[in-house]
Amino acid sequence: MDPVSPVLLFDSGIGGLSVLAEVRKLLPQAPVIYAADNAGLPYGTKTEAEIAARVAGLLGRMTERLRPRLVCIACNTASTIALGIVRDVLEVPIVGTVPAIKPAAAMTQTGVIGLLGTEATIRQGYVDRLEAEFASDKLLLRHAAPGLVTAAEAKLRGEPVDPGACAEAVAGLRRQPGGERIDTVVLACTHFPLLMEELALAFGPDVRFVDGAQGIARRIAFLTAGQPWQRRDADLALFTRGGDDVDALRPGLARYGLDRVEVF
Ligand code: DGL
């Protein structure tokens, strides 16, 4: 294994930084390339066919050019739709992001779990299967919260977070039958943990949150155990489209150790 070969984290935007933060804790020495398909953001409102074609095509080109040792699809929408296809076409190990329904089912006291994701994620059979396998004796209420994706992107650019986006997410879950008994919320979109403080305030002290980031980081550490690591340059953030929005993200990206920014 080439010690400078990076781990490639991929998302539609900056949501995968919530995964990168956990990867840094376990593998501080790992060279990382963070790739954001901001030209395709948001994925959540696209069709399955659009998302699968986009993700498989981009990851194919990125893998060829960047030679990562492992690819992490740090995006629930892309993973629940395209993980199988991407695994079929790429030879590098692929780690996906799975909505954390299993740990939520173990945590809930009331038996009612909320799940916040994108529109595309919450309608996936992948989520139905996780619910059937791990939460069949619980009530799982789903809600699409695209406003939280926009809010998380704005927050990393240093802009104020729209409190309406969190309020809408709370209302979308609470107004469903049984919603008043939710005590555990699955953040099934990697953007959402970046709004943890705002969401905690909006839901109140009786709700706990669970996401997949720690589990993903453990999986990456397991799959790369014993491999040599060497960081030759500062870690790189790649965007599929440049512009003012990306420039505004630079200070936020630097807080995650991504000191170089380029367009792919
Ligand atoms: N961060 C992505 C996820 O985990 C979705 C954001 C988007 O709609 O592109 O699902």
Side-chain angles (χ1 to χ4, degrees):
M1 175 60 63
D2 181 351
V4 300
S5 174
V7 170
L8 175 65
L9 275 90
F10 176 86
D11 182 32
S12 54
I14 51 80
L17 295 176
S18 61
V19 176
L20 175 57
E22 296 301 325
V23 172
R24 293 275 193 223
K25 287 182 197 163
L26 291 189
L27 298 168
Q29 69 285 37
V32 167
I33 297 180
Y34 183 87
D37 179 17
N38 60 326
L41 180 79
Y43 279 1
T45 51
K46 292 187 165 48
T47 65
E48 280 71 2
E50 279 177 293
I51 294 166
R54 211 173 164 97
V55 172
L58 263 174
L59 283 179
R61 295 207 302 284
M62 286 180 173
T63 304
E64 211 172 275
R65 201 181 309 167
L66 307 167
R67 301 263 159 228
R69 70 181 73 197
L70 178 146
V71 173
C72 170
I73 304 181
C75 172
N76 287 264
T77 311
S79 295
T80 53
I81 291 168
L83 190 57
I85 304 164
V86 172
R87 281 198 172 129
D88 284 347
V89 296
L90 298 188
E91 280 180 16
V92 64
I94 314 283
V95 176
T97 310
V98 172
I101 293 173
K102 185 181 177 185
M107 277 164 63
T108 180
Q109 300 287 313
T110 62
V112 187
I113 301 166
L115 184 143
L116 294 174
T118 66
E119 227 173 284
T121 295
I122 67 166
R123 66 171 179 251
Q124 292 312 308
Y126 201 116
V127 179
D128 300 339
R129 289 192 288 281
L130 288 172
E131 178 179 359
E133 189 171 354
F134 300 114
S136 56
D137 58 340
K138 316 283 185 230
L139 178 61
L140 182 78
L141 303 176
R142 309 178 193 187
H143 179 64
L148 295 179
V149 175
T150 314
E153 294 275 335
K155 184 176 177 182
L156 203 82
R157 289 194 299 266
E159 296 164 15
V161 173
D162 170 15
C166 293
E168 194 285 327
V170 176
L173 287 175
R174 291 284 191 211
R175 69 172 167 247
Q176 298 182 43
E180 71 289 349
R181 291 189 294 121
I182 290 172
D183 67 348
T184 306
V185 172
V186 179
L187 300 179
C189 170
T190 51
H191 278 77
F192 299 172
L194 301 172
L195 296 169
M196 193 59 99
E197 296 86 16
E198 292 83 356
L199 286 168
L201 269 176
F203 274 95
D206 298 332
V207 168
R208 290 192 294 171
F209 299 92
V210 57
D211 65 71
Q214 285 181 6
I216 298 164
R218 280 197 299 273
R219 182 78 190 141
I220 295 173
F222 173 79
L223 290 173
T224 57
Q227 294 181 3
W229 301 100
Q230 190 199 333
R231 188 181 280 114
R232 210 160 37 194
D233 302 301
D235 282 339
L236 172 68
L238 280 179
F239 289 84
T240 52
R241 181 167 59 204
D244 290 351
D245 274 5
V246 170
D247 288 336
L249 287 171
R250 281 174 189 268
L253 294 168
R255 289 201 297 277
Y256 289 84
L258 300 168
D259 291 316
R260 287 188 300 144
V261 176
E262 290 175 16
V263 174
F264 181 79

